[in-house]
């Protein structure tokens, strides 16, 4: 499940949780990748044995294998690694994208300049192995593995299958083959208050990743926990343009977030391959500016479209009653257990804050302006749209 790709969004105020102590609640962009990653005065790559790669390591000598490459964030991550000159291998399903609309040729065409695209099933270790075998043809000095995998629905079985087991497959196979020196995980800030199955599955893998590092000093990781994506806050724009009221829970102050753009998040993830300060760290991250509530978001949209403010305020008790009914029915009809979980997910994102240290340049207001003028093509929520 993509972090916060639901309703109006969000986890308890984020503490900066790391192995290294960082007291600041904002990130500065690391310097743009120089040709030599280890150049004096710039961040150096994590290294086999020493924790830092050789000073003369160049980006095109670093092999990057990205799983979940065709997901909403994965696409931007792949393109940013390519832009910065890394030797990238993308792993994707044979039919990918929202509703499986993208063919293999569509995926290849979407990544100009990529070294390799491998198609397969992340639940099949032999399939995962092909990604590493293919990328091994590149004469690189080290390998960074990036997982942007996420369950599509947040259902109970799907969460354990993708957020834990499939992601674990990429780690285990990479390490078995000696091709996983640094692992970058796209997680979610909401795991800091784990009440849902997909959160527990993500935390279970985070624990496995950290244990792998404790048992091997030559291995390192970066766990990235974004707040919310801009697209998860845009679901009511078309309704408001048509003159309909904005729907929110209670007084619209119940949850707040500082969402981050896909472009800024991709840049942050790529920095994790070269920034020593992000090594062996858990990194909550949000977009620039102060967190905003649903009411503030609504007022921003009404102002941008030039329409008077209108609201429907729903009591959160309505959702609690619905969850209770579905929960009770699921005890009698196991097929409804996922439905009960979806209802709990909806309530979580309607009531919990999603706040992280600020990073990047793209603002929510600019995103809303663009969405109002040009629409939301490419911002589809897919299976998460029910929320």
């Amino acid at each position: 499940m993509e972090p916060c790709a639901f309703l109006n969004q969000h986890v308890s105020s984020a503490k900066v949780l790391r192995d290294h102590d960082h007291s600041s609640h904002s990130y500065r962009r690391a310097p743009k990748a120089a040709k030599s990653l280890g150049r004096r005065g710039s961040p150096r790559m994590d290294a086999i044995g020493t924790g830092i790669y050789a000073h003369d390591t160049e980006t095109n000598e670093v092999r990057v294998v990205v799983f979940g490459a065709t997901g909403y964030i994965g696409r931007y991550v792949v393109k940013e690694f390519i832009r910065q000159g890394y030797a990238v291998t993308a792993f994707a399903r044979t039919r990918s994208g929202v509703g499986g609309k993208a063919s293999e040729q569509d995926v290849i065409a979407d990544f100009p300049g990529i070294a390799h695209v491998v198609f397969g099933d992340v639940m099949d270790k032999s399939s995962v192995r092909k990604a590493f075998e293919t990328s091994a043809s590149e004469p690189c000095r080290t390998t960074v593995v990036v997982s942007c995998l996420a369950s599509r629905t947040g259902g109970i079985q799907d969460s354990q299958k993708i957020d834990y087991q499939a992601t674990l497959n990429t780690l285990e196979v990479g390490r078995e083959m000696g091709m996983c020196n640094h692992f970058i995980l796209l997680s979610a800030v909401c795991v800091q208050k784990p009440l849902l199955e997909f959160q527990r599955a993500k935390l279970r893998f985070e624990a496995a990743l950290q244990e792998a590092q404790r048992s091997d000093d030559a291995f390192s990781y970066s766990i990235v926990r974004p707040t919310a994506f801009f697209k998860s806050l845009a679901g009511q724009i078309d309704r408001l343009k048509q003159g309909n009221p904005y729907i929110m829970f209670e007084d619209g102050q119940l949850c707040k977030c500082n969402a981050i753009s896909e472009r800024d998040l991709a840049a942050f993830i790529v920095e994790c391959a070269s920034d020593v300060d992000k090594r062996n760290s858990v990194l909550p991250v949000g977009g620039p500016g102060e967190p905003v509530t649903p009411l503030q978001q609504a007022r921003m949209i009404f102002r941008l479209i030039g329409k008077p403010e209108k609201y429907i305020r729903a009591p959160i008790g309505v959702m609690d009653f619905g969850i209770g009914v579905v929960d009770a029915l699921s005890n009698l009809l196991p097929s409804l257990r996922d439905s009960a979980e979806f209802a709990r997910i909806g309530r979580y994102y309607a009531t919990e804050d999603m706040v992280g240290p600020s990073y990047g340049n793209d603002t929510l207001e600019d995103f809303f302006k663009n969405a109002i003028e040009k629409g939301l093509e490419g911002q589809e929520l897919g299976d998460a749209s029910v929320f």
Side-chain angles (χ1 to χ4, degrees), residues 31-146:
K32 289 187 177 180
K35 185 176 182 182
S36 175
L37 292 168
R39 183 172 298 170
R40 184 179 298 277
S42 68
R44 294 178 294 177
M45 297 295 291
D46 299 314
I48 302 172
T50 66
I52 300 173
Y53 291 137
H55 286 272
D56 58 349
T57 300
E58 298 181 3
T59 54
N60 62 8
E61 296 176 304
V62 179
R63 181 187 300 111
V64 178
V65 185
V66 182
F67 294 91
T70 56
Y72 179 65
I73 296 302
R75 289 180 62 244
Y76 286 88
V77 170
V78 169
K79 291 179 179 183
E80 183 63 16
F81 270 115
I82 294 171
R83 189 188 71 79
Q84 294 196 26
Y86 290 86
V88 182
T89 295
F91 187 90
R93 292 171 290 153
T94 53
R95 301 293 303 187
S96 57
V98 176
K101 295 177 181 177
S103 67
E104 293 184 7
Q105 290 304 315
D106 292 332
V107 173
I108 293 170
D110 195 36
F111 296 138
I114 196 167
H116 306 284
V117 180
V118 178
F119 298 93
D121 180 3
V122 285
M123 290 302 297
D124 179 359
K125 280 192 170 183
S126 63
S127 185
V128 171
R129 192 168 289 109
K130 290 178 182 177
F132 290 100
E133 290 172 345
T134 301
S135 65
S137 63
E138 295 298 313
C140 294
R141 300 173 67 169
T142 190
T143 305
V144 174
V145 178
V146 183

Side-chain angles (χ1 to χ4, degrees), residues 1 10-12 154-156 159-160 188-204 320 323 327 337-338 340-354:
M1 166 172 291
H10 310 92
V11 184
S12 58
I156 295 170
S159 295
Q160 290 301 321
V189 83
C190 60
V191 302
Q192 293 173 182
K193 188 176 180 180
L195 302 178
L196 305 167
E197 196 63 31
F198 84 89
Q199 296 165 340
R200 290 187 282 267
K202 287 181 181 295
L203 282 175
R204 189 178 172 196
D320 291 335
I323 291 171
D327 255 339
R337 287 175 182 165
D338 270 355
E341 184 71 3
F342 298 155
R344 286 188 286 269
I345 292 170
R347 190 193 190 285
Y348 190 101
Y349 288 108
T351 57
E352 299 293 339
D353 291 346
M354 298 287 175

Side-chain angles (χ1 to χ4, degrees), residues 2-320:
E2 293 176 344
C4 325
F6 308 108
L7 226 131
N8 274 337
Q9 59 278 15
H10 310 92
V11 184
S12 58
S13 295
K15 295 178 182 178
V16 181
L17 303 176
R18 328 220 183 147
D19 295 342
H20 305 301
D21 178 28
H22 295 255
S23 58
S24 172
H25 288 275
S26 64
Y27 296 107
R28 290 180 299 172
R29 282 185 182 271
K32 289 187 177 180
K35 185 176 182 182
S36 175
L37 292 168
R39 183 172 298 170
R40 184 179 298 277
S42 68
R44 294 178 294 177
M45 297 295 291
D46 299 314
I48 302 172
T50 66
I52 300 173
Y53 291 137
H55 286 272
D56 58 349
T57 300
E58 298 181 3
T59 54
N60 62 8
E61 296 176 304
V62 179
R63 181 187 300 111
V64 178
V65 185
V66 182
F67 294 91
T70 56
Y72 179 65
I73 296 302
R75 289 180 62 244
Y76 286 88
V77 170
V78 169
K79 291 179 179 183
E80 183 63 16
F81 270 115
I82 294 171
R83 189 188 71 79
Q84 294 196 26
Y86 290 86
V88 182
T89 295
F91 187 90
R93 292 171 290 153
T94 53
R95 301 293 303 187
S96 57
V98 176
K101 295 177 181 177
S103 67
E104 293 184 7
Q105 290 304 315
D106 292 332
V107 173
I108 293 170
D110 195 36
F111 296 138
I114 196 167
H116 306 284
V117 180
V118 178
F119 298 93
D121 180 3
V122 285
M123 290 302 297
D124 179 359
K125 280 192 170 183
S126 63
S127 185
V128 171
R129 192 168 289 109
K130 290 178 182 177
F132 290 100
E133 290 172 345
T134 301
S135 65
S137 63
E138 295 298 313
C140 294
R141 300 173 67 169
T142 190
T143 305
V144 174
V145 178
V146 183
S147 174
C148 295
L149 295 170
S151 59
R152 291 187 292 277
T153 65
I156 295 170
Q157 290 187 352
D158 195 43
S159 295
Q160 290 301 321
K161 179 180 176 182
I162 303 300
D163 292 301
Y164 174 68
Q165 188 57 59
T167 313
L168 184 64
N169 288 348
T170 67
L171 173 65
E172 290 182 341
V173 172
R175 298 197 72 212
E176 287 167 6
M177 298 182 68
M179 295 180 63
C180 183
N181 308 114
H182 185 71
F183 194 105
I184 303 172
L185 172 68
L186 175 62
S187 184
V189 83
C190 60
V191 302
Q192 293 173 182
K193 188 176 180 180
L195 302 178
L196 305 167
E197 196 63 31
F198 84 89
Q199 296 165 340
R200 290 187 282 267
K202 287 181 181 295
L203 282 175
R204 189 178 172 196
F205 177 76
E206 286 189 14
L209 186 59
Q210 291 168 319
E211 178 57 33
Q213 194 282 321
R214 283 191 291 269
S215 65
D216 182 1
D217 288 340
F219 172 73
S220 57
Y221 66 84
S222 299
I223 296 171
V224 180
R225 293 177 174 176
T227 53
F229 302 151
F230 283 170
K231 72 170 183 177
S232 64
L233 312 184
Q236 298 194 55
I237 286 179
D238 287 342
R239 294 185 64 260
L240 303 192
K241 288 170 69 175
Q242 295 166 9
N244 295 307
Y246 186 94
I247 302 171
M248 60 190 180
F249 288 100
E250 305 295 346
D251 60 357
Q253 305 285 353
L254 204 53
C255 56
K256 62 181 180 293
C257 75
N258 59 326
I260 186 168
S261 73
E262 61 276 9
R263 180 170 58 181
D264 282 339
L265 179 55
F268 186 86
I269 289 172
V270 173
E271 283 183 10
C272 291
S274 61
D275 188 346
V276 173
D277 288 339
K278 294 181 175 65
R279 181 177 182 267
N280 294 337
S281 298
V282 178
L283 303 158
V285 60
E290 293 298 316
V292 292
T293 65
L295 179 59
Q296 290 172 311
Q297 295 165 32
R299 287 174 172 168
M300 190 185 301
I301 297 171
F302 279 122
R303 174 171 54 80
L304 291 172
I305 63 178
K307 290 187 179 293
E309 297 179 17
K310 293 192 294 184
Y311 300 98
I312 293 177
R313 293 175 168 83
I316 198 66
V318 171
M319 188 172 283
D320 291 335

